[in-house]
Amino acid sequence: MILPINTYSDPVLGLKAKPLKGVDAAIEALIAEMFDTMYKAPGIGLAAPQVGHSIRLVVVDISSIEKYADFKPMVVINPRIVAVRGRNAMEEGCLSLPGVAGDVVRPSAITLHYRDEKFEEQTADFDAMMARVLQHEIDHLDGKLFVDRMEKRDRRKIQKELDAIAEGRVKADYPLARDAAKIVAEV
Ligand code: ZN
């Protein structure tokens, strides 16, 4: 099932998400739906708060990007960045901010402690695109969006687009939660 995506200014995106205590059938179903939703959009990462669940769960698949075709889809639960190395700027976008993109400076490599889809503990190093996507998605679990990390000057340039999203004046090729809520309300 494709889930509607919550957009900029939706309160769920500003919350600190709760850790998971395990993976049960409901979480497994949510993980499958998050992958479906991410592929449909299409996107390369999706955090549970973006589909209205304030829990520390992320899915990532960067294999659609040329250089990264060998990368396997990944489920990341209760992640904790335990070390960072380097810094670089990269342009980011977000399914919760349709049509908005901007440069963000972040560490270029990370060591991540997390639980996988079987809730088994893992520690692994990530660099390049994976480090970038993971940090972006983990920010979602802490109520942060990439625009919060942009230079003030750059952010001012996109403020109009942000206001438009906040006011519901935005369209995307994938379902948005606000529209879904509207449809329910109209019925
Ligand atoms: Zn995002």
Side-chain angles (χ1 to χ4, degrees), residues 9 13 30 85:
S9 86
L13 295 178
L30 177 62
R85 293 168 296 284

Side-chain angles (χ1 to χ4, degrees), residues 50 94 136 140:
Q50 292 182 275
C94 180
H136 174 117
H140 277 300

Side-chain angles (χ1 to χ4, degrees), residues 44 60 62 68 71 74 81 83-88 90 92 105-112 124-139:
I44 55 175
V60 171
I62 62 168
Y68 301 97
F71 280 67
M74 197 178 157
I81 295 170
V84 300
R85 293 168 296 284
R87 274 179 96 68
N88 64 357
M90 236 169 124
E92 295 188 21
V105 176
R106 297 184 189 270
S108 49
I110 60 170
T111 303
L112 191 68
D125 291 330
F126 299 95
D127 63 6
M129 186 61 79
M130 274 309 275
R132 178 59 59 156
V133 176
L134 285 165
Q135 289 177 86
H136 174 117
E137 299 309 331
I138 292 165
D139 267 356

